[in-house]
Amino acid sequence: MKFIQRRVRRTAPTSITTEPAVMTTSKRPRYLDAWANQSQEFWQNLAPRDRLALSILMLFFIITIFGYGGYRMHTAAQKSKLDYQNQVADYFWLRGQAANIDSNPQALDDSPLTVQVNNILNSMGVTGAQVVAIGEGVQLSFTHPSQAVVANVLGQLEQQGWQLDRLSINQDTATNNLSVQANLKK
């Protein structure tokens, strides 16, 4: 075994004190001990009526702080519960709509309805249109820069016996192209 040697610096005592050394077992800094002593002394110097008033005031503040915290936690829990219920409702609605979603949309594109609408659009100069048969009707979407062509296409569709069930026309501010989306029924 190795022994660790400590060097001890020996000096002659300069003065002899008769006060016992104070050993603190607490690891708190001295300024906290001083503050605690001052606070306790201040509390003891207060009149009993003032101590009662301060006690009631501190109790009120504690109840207010914890009450507000509890209220905030309660409202957050209620909001979370409502969000969860909405998500569950959305999930079950989506599951209910799964039968209405077509897993093979390309199979419907060759129906006579879509071919007829595509022929009208191509004859009017509209290329790149998306036409999909939906039930007994057709949904179409295309873009074109000319308002006159869009009006002529819609007029030609009505002349061929198509009725507009829903129509949405938006103009892109950057390119001035018109975006047309419509649901048609025969």
Side-chain angles (χ1 to χ4, degrees), residues 126-163:
V126 175
T127 58
Q130 296 175 351
V131 181
V132 178
I134 298 177
E136 297 177 2
V138 174
Q139 183 177 19
L140 69 96
S141 175
F142 66 91
T143 58
H144 201 277
S146 173
Q147 293 177 358
V149 171
V150 170
N152 287 337
V153 166
L154 296 175
Q156 185 67 25
L157 288 169
E158 286 182 350
Q159 286 178 0
Q160 295 292 327
W162 291 96
Q163 295 176 356

Side-chain angles (χ1 to χ4, degrees), residues 18-39:
T18 57
E19 297 177 10
V22 178
M23 299 279 298
T24 59
T25 57
S26 172
K27 294 187 178 194
R28 289 189 304 183
R30 289 185 185 177
Y31 64 89
L32 286 179
D33 288 334
W35 180 77
N37 289 338
Q38 287 176 352
S39 299

Side-chain angles (χ1 to χ4, degrees), residues 70 72 74 91 99 105 110 115 117-118 123 127 145 150 162:
R72 293 283 298 202
H74 175 72
Y91 171 74
D110 293 337
V115 171
V117 172
N118 269 327
S123 69
T127 58
V150 170
W162 291 96

